[in-house]
Amino acid sequence: HVAQFYKVFVRFVVSLIIAVPIQVSYRYMYTKIGIAWRKWLTERVLTLYFSNRVFYGLESQGNRADGQVRDYKERQNEVDNPDQRIQEDVSSFTS
């Protein structure tokens, strides 16, 4: 049975030698492509957000026409930190 053990052991070692680099390369490329996609999508969404001056529209929604301070219920519906929300949405979309 010793010969059979060594035969199985050699197959196991050879499969490890082949499988480990493939698995490491796969994980590396998967992560690298994921980061590149997230970066591209974030830049694209932020470019669209800033190109049409959407941020001014969101900012003007936060101000009252008469200049008075808005109460909590009025401020509850406003968008806070839209650039951070965009980044978080892109990150959750690409994960």
Side-chain angles (χ1 to χ4, degrees):
H1 297 316
V2 173
Q4 192 176 18
F5 169 77
Y6 283 117
K7 186 178 178 182
V8 171
F9 182 73
V10 167
R11 282 186 180 174
F12 178 73
V13 170
V14 168
S15 65
L16 278 179
I17 291 171
I18 293 171
V20 168
I22 290 172
Q23 182 66 22
V24 169
S25 298
Y26 169 76
R27 286 182 184 242
Y28 173 76
M29 290 306 296
Y30 182 83
T31 304
K32 188 170 181 158
I33 289 171
I35 290 171
W37 183 31
R38 188 177 307 127
K39 180 180 176 185
W40 174 83
L41 190 58
T42 302
E43 289 175 357
R44 175 79 174 133
V45 171
L46 287 175
T47 299
L48 290 172
Y49 171 70
F50 287 121
S51 67
N52 295 323
R53 300 188 182 267
V54 173
F55 54 94
Y56 285 126
L58 289 175
E59 184 179 313
S60 67
Q61 288 177 358
N63 299 329
R64 289 180 66 171
D66 58 3
Q68 293 181 356
V69 178
R70 298 179 321 137
D71 63 355
Y72 175 74
K73 287 185 179 182
E74 289 179 322
R75 288 182 290 149
Q76 194 172 6
N77 295 327
E78 72 183 33
V79 179
D80 60 333
N81 299 327
D83 53 336
Q84 181 180 0
R85 287 179 181 242
I86 289 170
Q87 185 272 327
E88 289 172 355
D89 288 344
V90 166
S91 182
S92 67
F93 179 74
T94 58
S95 326

